[in-house]
């Protein structure tokens, strides 16, 4: 059994930016408290859910944005989501699909004619290969127009199995990078942009250090050269006592700190829900109100009864609300 590494230590001092929001999700801003406990607020699910559902043969019965992502680009809402289809010899092929919306609620799937999947090119597929969890970042600050959109996916290439990168000028036409980004990284990966420190970040599994369902973090300044993955969180005593594992995670910038979501796998029930994460430096992460569900599953029979986890992209601010797009599944994990 490999030695379990330790996650990064919490920073002893944090910088605060005047005018930026400060959340009491941790104790950095608390000098003293008495007869006071921290509790999560309640999210309100949109009554029209799901806003995007699989309806075509090339979607294979799935439409998952926990790969992919949702962004507002030049006033238009754009979504990238993963679909899964079983192909010849039992191999799994994923399509990254593209949808647009004027308001973030009513979505259209354009017929792009780029890739033949399920016998047709009349589809909204923008990338299709044997991969898993293709995750998209919109990066308008990149000085190279051809790299305005970036994606990371778990797949097998000339340099073995791991995470490979893709770039696009428009989010529709993609090209692959020639070199592997992180060899032997895991199949459950999210990709996000740390705009505070100018880093690209992935949360992934990493078997060479610790096999199993653990969350590791790697970063890059140029999207090409990446650090060796580091463990983000240990399983806690509560996790072990109740058969919980860390299935996946993602993060995003909020003010001058970081928030994120931890995908908790309740192994005895084959069920996944979401807890809230926070960090002050983007490397040392902790759970907010461990054991409390941030994004709960729906009731029996709903599309999110067994699985509810947000998209890898940050929440979108609309007025005084944060819109969090998420994927659901009404069947237990295999």
């Amino acid at each position: 059994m490999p030695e379990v590494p330790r996650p990064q230590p919490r920073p002893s001092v944090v910088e605060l930016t005047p005018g930026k929001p400060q959340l009491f999700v941790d104790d950095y801003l608390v000098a003293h408290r008495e007869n006071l406990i921290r509790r999560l607020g309640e999210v309100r699910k949109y009554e029209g859910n799901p806003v995007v559902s699989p309806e075509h043969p090339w979607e294979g019965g799935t439409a998952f944005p926990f790969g992919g992502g949702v962004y507002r680009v030049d006033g238009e809402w754009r979504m990238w989501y993963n679909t899964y289809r079983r192909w010849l010899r039992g191999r799994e092929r994923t399509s990254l699909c593209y949808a647009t919306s004027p308001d973030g609620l009513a979505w259209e799937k354009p017929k792009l004619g780029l890739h033949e999947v399920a016998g047709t090119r009349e589809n909204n597929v923008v990338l299709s290969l044997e991969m898993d969890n293709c995750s998209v970042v919109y990066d308008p600050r990149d000085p190279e127009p051809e790299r305005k959109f970036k994606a990371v996916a778990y797949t097998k290439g000339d340099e073995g199995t791991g995470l490979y990168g893709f770039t696009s000028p428009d989010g529709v036409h993609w090209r692959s990078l020639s070199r592997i980004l992180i060899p032997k990284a895991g199949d459950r990966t999210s990709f996000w942009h740390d705009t505070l420190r100018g880093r690209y970040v992935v949360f992934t599994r990493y078997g060479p250090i610790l096999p199993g369902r653990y969350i590791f973090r790697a970063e890059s300044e140029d999207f090409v050269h990446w650090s060796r993955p580091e463990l983000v969180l240990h399983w806690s005593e509560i996790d072990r006592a109740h058969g919980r594992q860390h299935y996946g995670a993602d993060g995003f910038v909020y003010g001058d700190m970081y928030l994120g979501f931890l995908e908790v796998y309740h192994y005895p029930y084959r069920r996944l829900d979401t807890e809230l994460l926070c960090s002050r430096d983007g490397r040392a992460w902790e759970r907010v109100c461990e054991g409390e569900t941030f994004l709960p599953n729906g009731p029996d029979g709903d599309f999110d009864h067994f699985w509810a986890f947000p998209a890898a992209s940050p929440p979108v601010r609309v007025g005084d609300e944060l819109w969090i797009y998420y994927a659901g599944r009404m069947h237990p994990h295999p």
Side-chain angles (χ1 to χ4, degrees):
M1 183 71 181
E3 181 180 354
V4 179
R6 294 184 177 183
Q8 291 296 313
R10 289 172 42 140
S12 57
V13 178
V14 298
E15 296 183 3
L16 302 180
T17 304
K20 287 195 174 182
Q22 303 296 333
L23 302 180
F24 291 95
V25 291
D26 56 25
D27 289 335
Y28 274 103
L29 306 181
V30 179
H32 173 76
R33 65 178 178 177
E34 185 175 351
N35 297 325
L36 185 68
I37 59 175
R38 180 177 288 113
R39 285 289 181 262
L40 294 178
E42 183 177 348
V43 299
R44 177 173 57 87
K45 293 183 179 180
Y46 176 55
E47 293 181 358
N49 279 336
V51 295
V52 172
S53 298
E55 54 188 333
H56 301 296
W58 60 85
E59 292 173 314
T62 56
F64 287 160
F66 51 57
V70 180
Y71 297 91
R72 275 194 293 190
V73 181
D74 299 328
E76 181 182 50
W77 293 73
R78 302 187 186 183
M79 176 188 295
W80 292 262
Y81 62 93
N82 284 222
T83 67
Y84 297 90
R85 294 185 71 251
R86 290 291 179 181
W87 285 48
L88 297 177
R89 301 176 185 175
R91 295 181 298 179
E92 188 170 274
R93 191 176 180 93
T94 298
S95 291
L96 181 67
C97 289
Y98 175 73
T100 63
S101 172
D103 58 6
L105 299 175
W107 291 87
E108 297 181 0
K109 303 173 182 179
K111 296 179 180 180
L112 301 173
L114 299 176
H115 301 272
E116 182 175 336
V117 182
T120 181
R121 285 182 173 268
E122 295 297 303
N123 57 48
N124 60 328
V125 175
V126 296
L127 191 62
S128 186
L129 67 156
E130 292 175 21
M131 62 180 178
D132 205 345
N133 284 118
C134 186
S135 184
V136 175
V137 161
Y138 172 50
D139 186 14
R141 300 181 187 179
D142 195 307
E144 299 182 32
E146 295 297 312
R147 291 169 30 119
K148 184 182 294 186
F149 295 87
K150 300 176 177 65
V152 166
Y154 171 83
T155 186
K156 184 176 182 180
D158 294 339
E159 299 184 49
T161 301
L163 299 186
Y164 285 79
F166 305 83
T167 60
S168 171
D170 55 10
V172 175
H173 302 86
W174 292 87
R175 71 175 185 88
S176 61
L177 302 184
S178 58
R179 303 295 302 273
I180 192 170
L181 304 184
I182 305 177
K184 300 180 180 179
D187 61 342
R188 192 66 173 94
T189 296
S190 68
F191 170 45
W192 54 284
H193 194 191
D194 179 354
T195 53
L196 290 180
R197 290 169 174 80
R199 300 288 192 274
Y200 303 103
V201 181
V202 295
F203 283 161
T204 187
R205 299 171 186 169
Y206 194 60
I209 293 180
L210 187 62
R213 295 187 174 107
Y214 297 87
I215 310 302
F216 284 78
R217 175 192 179 278
E219 67 174 30
S220 172
E221 294 186 26
D222 60 6
F223 188 60
V224 176
H225 305 90
W226 288 79
S227 65
R228 192 184 191 208
E230 302 172 335
L231 185 67
V232 171
L233 293 169
H234 276 303
W235 292 355
S236 69
E237 292 303 318
I238 297 177
D239 290 329
R240 293 184 176 91
H242 294 278
R244 299 173 184 169
Q245 301 174 0
H246 299 171
Y247 199 86
D250 57 37
F252 56 92
V253 173
Y254 188 89
D256 55 8
M257 65 175 298
Y258 303 86
L259 296 177
F261 301 117
L262 176 66
E263 190 176 13
V264 180
Y265 181 32
H266 301 262
Y267 182 78
Y269 310 103
R270 299 291 197 261
R271 196 174 192 178
L272 298 100
D273 57 24
T274 302
E275 292 186 14
L276 186 64
L277 297 174
C278 69
S279 174
R280 292 287 172 169
D281 63 357
R283 297 184 67 193
W285 290 81
E286 59 187 275
R287 294 155 83 168
V288 182
C289 303
E290 179 185 348
E292 290 191 32
T293 301
F294 176 80
L295 178 60
N297 299 93
D300 189 12
D302 276 16
F303 83 100
D304 56 356
H305 178 58
F306 274 96
W307 203 326
F309 189 65
S313 54
V316 182
R317 180 171 291 280
V318 180
D320 60 355
E321 297 180 338
L322 291 177
W323 288 15
I324 301 171
Y325 289 83
Y326 74 99
R329 179 182 282 173
M330 61 189 307
H331 305 292
H333 188 283

